[in-house]
Amino acid sequence: MTAGRLEAFSDGVIAIIITIMVLELKVPHGGGLQDLRPLLPVFLSYVLSFIYVGIYWNNHHHLFHLCTAVTGGVLWANLHLLFWLSLLPFATGWMGENHFTSVPTALYGGVLFMAAAAYYVLQQTIIHAQGEDSLLLQAIGSDWKGKASLLLYVLAIITTLYFSWIAQAIFVIAALIWMIPDRRIEKRLAK
């Protein structure tokens, strides 16, 4: 299998994930702005998850531009990532419908943690398949963003047991870290 075919499959799954999330937004029965107010937590959780899925889609795209070998391990590691991302619509909906209470927020953090861990495993599997001269390894270096994200998700999960709004802030901070463009892979591709 080529990296392009794997990327195309992943793009399709990610598009379906976004579609499922938007279908969870229910149309209010009233015609006034006040009728939208009860939907605000659901909408905010959707926006956050949409940003996260977009971040994964963007980074996945860059990742596979440096992937020179698609092995069976890479295929399974990619499916592992897609599995955790596919749980985001459920976690997003539960968290929004329950107005960011502790247990749904902790589950949301758990899904984000597992998706980040799966992305790390995918990176490492690609690096292993490429060998000692891995272009991906040269591009990501110490991968401080990936490690920081995992720590932030753990902190958010623990924090949500006390103050779920702090956990929400941590989720936003982690997303902002990744929204700042990461040029490591692009710089490597330009060489």
Side-chain angles (χ1 to χ4, degrees), residues 101-183:
T101 56
S102 291
V103 174
T105 300
L107 176 74
Y108 185 82
V111 170
L112 289 178
F113 175 84
M114 292 306 297
Y119 188 83
Y120 176 80
V121 167
L122 178 58
Q123 276 185 332
Q124 296 305 307
T125 305
I126 292 170
I127 289 168
H128 179 73
Q130 290 179 337
E132 292 178 13
D133 297 327
S134 170
L135 296 174
L136 181 58
L137 179 59
Q138 293 170 24
I140 64 170
S142 65
D143 191 27
W144 72 269
K145 282 185 173 187
K147 293 172 185 167
S149 298
L150 288 168
L151 291 174
L152 285 171
Y153 299 141
V154 169
L155 179 62
I157 292 166
I158 293 167
T159 304
T160 195
L161 301 175
Y162 305 102
F163 302 104
S164 65
W165 66 270
I166 294 175
Q168 294 299 323
I170 293 169
F171 296 148
V172 170
I173 290 167
L176 288 174
I177 288 171
W178 282 100
M179 284 181 68
I180 297 168
D182 187 353
R183 305 278 186 230

Side-chain angles (χ1 to χ4, degrees), residues 31-97:
L33 288 177
Q34 71 276 9
D35 297 312
L36 293 174
R37 180 171 281 216
L39 298 177
L40 189 59
V42 175
F43 179 73
L44 291 175
S45 63
Y46 167 76
V47 169
L48 181 63
S49 292
F50 185 91
I51 290 168
Y52 268 110
V53 172
I55 289 166
Y56 275 103
W57 174 74
N58 189 327
N59 286 307
H60 189 274
H61 170 74
H62 284 94
L63 184 71
F64 276 92
H65 271 76
L66 285 181
C67 182
T68 57
V70 177
T71 64
V74 170
L75 291 173
W76 283 108
N78 191 65
L79 281 174
H80 181 228
L81 171 63
L82 293 175
F83 170 78
W84 290 106
L85 290 178
S86 74
L87 292 178
L88 263 178
F90 172 78
T92 300
W94 195 34
M95 182 175 69
E97 288 289 332

